[in-house]
Amino acid sequence: MAKILITSGPTRQYLDPVRYISNASSGRMGAALATAALQLGHEVVIVSGPVPTIYPAAAQVIPVVTTDEMLAASQEWFARCDGAIGAAAPCDYMPKIVETQKIAKTGGPLTLQLIETPDVVATLGQTKRDDQWVVGFALETNDRRFRATVKLEKKHCDMIISNGPIAMDSDVNDVELLDTAGEVIARVEGTKQKVADVLMTEIDRRLIHKTPATPL
């Protein structure tokens, strides 16, 4: 049995006390992966941004809001886990200045200066122990496989899952699973639970039990 950290859902980066930048991530992929991992007998910790999705009762859920909070919680719990799956969609940018009062309308354009947030999966990949593994997600709108391969190397992942915008706030997904060499080892589309079952089977076989499978 392995102890697996799963990041899930979006994060929020506030502009002022009532407005924030976020995305449509629902947490359904993270919940489906958690369900699949639990069915294989693993222990699951979920670090999740704000979502309406209900996670499996057997999983431990750590709620967070911002990308910094997701990073801090993920680092803390990853130290106690065998591996991590980065299924969350953290905000890539945050306002350089967060206003302490609600931003009022002025009748003209509003200019926001944004700076990059830390990369949660890349940080885990760069700091993992020799006995740990990290699986990332790469959501891209074009050149999906190429961009996923770049992220695979850049983020020091052991596998990466390439998907597209269809995944956002949806019950279905269409993915490719790439190994550390960038080779496609699984392709699956359908409900997120079906996709998660296939992905977790490969992760379980290749990264947890380290039993190679025949490539596609």
Side-chain angles (χ1 to χ4, degrees), residues 89 137-141 144 147 151 161-168:
F137 270 74
L139 191 155
E140 301 292 346
T141 56
R144 282 175 46 178
R147 292 176 182 270
K151 287 185 175 181
I161 298 153
S162 169
N163 61 358
I166 187 177
M168 279 292 185

Side-chain angles (χ1 to χ4, degrees), residues 17 19 21-22 41 44 50 54 61 76 93 97 107 111 124 127 138 176 213:
R19 299 186 183 94
I21 302 169
S22 191
V44 175
I54 298 174
V61 180
E76 177 183 350
Y93 291 91
I97 298 173
T111 300
L124 298 183
T127 58
E176 290 183 340

Side-chain angles (χ1 to χ4, degrees), residues 113-194:
Q113 188 172 6
L114 304 177
I115 57 175
E116 288 189 2
T117 57
D119 191 308
V120 176
V121 170
T123 301
L124 298 183
Q126 289 162 4
T127 58
K128 65 184 177 180
R129 302 186 307 265
D130 290 342
D131 62 342
Q132 289 179 304
W133 48 267
V134 172
V135 176
F137 270 74
L139 191 155
E140 301 292 346
T141 56
N142 63 304
D143 296 329
R144 282 175 46 178
R145 190 179 300 171
F146 171 75
R147 292 176 182 270
T149 303
V150 171
K151 287 185 175 181
L152 173 71
E153 181 177 353
K154 183 178 179 181
K155 299 188 181 193
H156 302 273
C157 291
D158 298 277
M159 288 181 176
I160 199 159
I161 298 153
S162 169
N163 61 358
I166 187 177
M168 279 292 185
D169 197 20
S170 171
D171 291 321
V172 298
N173 207 348
D174 177 6
V175 310
E176 290 183 340
L177 176 64
L178 283 65
D179 66 13
T180 189
E183 297 295 326
V184 177
I185 55 175
R187 299 185 185 92
V188 59
E189 61 180 303
T191 67
K192 286 187 173 176
Q193 193 58 62
K194 174 186 175 181

Side-chain angles (χ1 to χ4, degrees), residues 2 17 25 79 96 100 107-108 126 128 152 195:
S25 177
K96 185 174 182 180
T100 58
Q126 289 162 4
K128 65 184 177 180
L152 173 71
V195 171

